[in-house]
């Protein structure tokens, strides 16, 4: 008998509980009170539980009815979500959106975009990965991610399309205790070569043999931007960082900017591009997400 339960019965149960009377539930559902009463009586008979105490002027939820009401809401809400998602997929919306984002992309802007996406597409799961350099392109090329937000790459493979999103401001820094920090003027390449440069490395072979803003033969390669940040603050070397990530350190004097002769008047920004396979361009959710990122503030 329990398998014969219907969503209509559960919706009637919820309406009666919320409205406080069968007549009010009938008005909400646009049904006669007698239909509501009959539906609820059948429901109680099928499940073997009395949901309402009808002894007073208005029906009152029993303890058992109150306990089952929450489950009824979950079932109805789940089915409503199922229908909404099915309808969206039928209209061309992606069943889920998988995105890999360059570690240099400002986290505050990314968080804002993800929060807005959740509100705009509540039934579309978002899978998000943060990588660097070629590790952003690789999952897109392999169909593991639908979209990539890539920086630091001078070119992309032929199978990918790329669209400019924004520029991420960069800055070259060192700890105040680092020897380069005492140089208040322009730092020449010959001076940089004497000190360890902290460089973000690629977990893939896509950038093998290529360097980006490397000026010193003494290199420590780090696969994690957070580790690079910590090492810079510890004075282990100098390096380039997104301004947004180190602004608090600059304000507090825990890091100081370096003026490189090769980067006058300032460290060049990193251009961020949306990348996707030409044979699987972004759908409605992906396109919306990209536009949100395009309009974000990089600082």
């Amino acid at each position: 008998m329990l398998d014969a339960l219907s969503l209509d019965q559960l919706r009637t149960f919820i309406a009666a509980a919320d409205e406080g009377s069968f007549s009010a539930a009938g008005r909400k559902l646009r049904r006669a009170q007698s239909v509501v009463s009959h539906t609820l009586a059948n429901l109680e008979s099928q499940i073997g539980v009395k949901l309402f105490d009808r002894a007073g002027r208005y029906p009152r939820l029993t303890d058992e009815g109150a306990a089952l009401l929450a489950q009824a809401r979950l079932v109805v809400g789940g089915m409503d979500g199922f229908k909404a998602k099915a309808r969206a997929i039928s209209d061309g919306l992606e069943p889920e959106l998988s995105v890999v984002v360059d570690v240099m992309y400002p986290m505050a802007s990314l968080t804002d975009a993800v929060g807005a996406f959740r509100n705009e597409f509540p039934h579309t799961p978002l899978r998000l990965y943060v990588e660097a350099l070629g590790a952003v392109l690789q999952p897109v090329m392999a169909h593991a991610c639908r979209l990539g937000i890539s920086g630091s790459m001078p070119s992309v493979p032929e199978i990918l399309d790329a669209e400019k999103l924004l520029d991420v401001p960069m800055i070259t820094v060192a700890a105040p205790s680092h020897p380069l920090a005492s140089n208040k003027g322009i730092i020449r390449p010959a001076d940089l070569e004497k000190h360890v440069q902290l460089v973000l490395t690629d977990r893939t072979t896509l950038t093998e043999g290529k360097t980006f803003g490397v000026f010193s033969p003494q290199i420590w390669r780090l696969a994690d931007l957070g580790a690079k940040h910590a090492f810079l603050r510890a004075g282990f070397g100098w390096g380039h960082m997104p301004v947004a990530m180190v602004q608090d350190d600059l304000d507090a004097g825990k890091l100081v900017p370096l003026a490189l002769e090769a980067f006058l008047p300032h460290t060049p920004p990193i251009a961020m591009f949306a990348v996707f396979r030409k044979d699987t361009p972004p759908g409605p959710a992906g396109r919306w997400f990209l536009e949100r990122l395009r309009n974000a503030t990089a600082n």
Side-chain angles (χ1 to χ4, degrees), residues 110-121:
L110 178 60
T111 302
D112 175 76
V114 169
F117 180 89
R118 184 179 62 176
N119 293 332
E120 186 73 16
F121 301 95

Side-chain angles (χ1 to χ4, degrees), residues 36-152:
V36 172
S37 298
H38 182 71
T39 300
L40 292 174
N42 284 342
L43 175 60
E44 290 175 325
S45 176
Q46 285 177 261
I47 63 177
V49 174
K50 187 177 181 181
L51 301 174
F52 291 94
D53 181 351
R54 297 167 174 79
R57 180 177 178 184
Y58 296 105
R60 183 178 56 84
L61 270 176
T62 62
D63 292 341
E64 295 81 2
L68 288 172
L69 181 60
Q71 292 298 315
R73 294 189 195 278
L74 286 176
V75 172
V76 171
M79 181 54 67
D80 289 343
F82 176 86
K83 291 193 297 184
K85 186 168 185 176
R87 185 165 52 251
I89 293 174
S90 177
D91 292 340
L93 185 68
E94 303 94 320
E96 97 170 357
L97 184 62
S98 52
V99 184
V100 54
V101 181
D102 194 295
V103 68
M104 296 292 188
Y105 191 91
M107 190 55 61
S109 298
L110 178 60
T111 302
D112 175 76
V114 169
F117 180 89
R118 184 179 62 176
N119 293 332
E120 186 73 16
F121 301 95
H123 303 298
T124 302
L126 178 65
R127 285 194 293 123
L128 199 65
Y129 305 91
V130 178
E131 293 287 356
L133 301 168
V136 175
L137 302 184
Q138 191 174 62
V140 180
M141 295 168 62
H143 291 286
C145 286
R146 186 74 174 268
L147 294 175
I149 310 302
S150 176
S152 311

Side-chain angles (χ1 to χ4, degrees), residues 203-226:
R203 284 190 255 257
T204 75
T205 59
L206 290 178
T207 58
E208 191 171 4
K210 301 176 182 178
T211 58
F212 308 94
V214 176
F215 297 99
S216 174
Q218 304 180 64
I219 298 173
W220 285 12
R221 297 188 182 276
L222 304 167
D224 179 73
L225 188 62

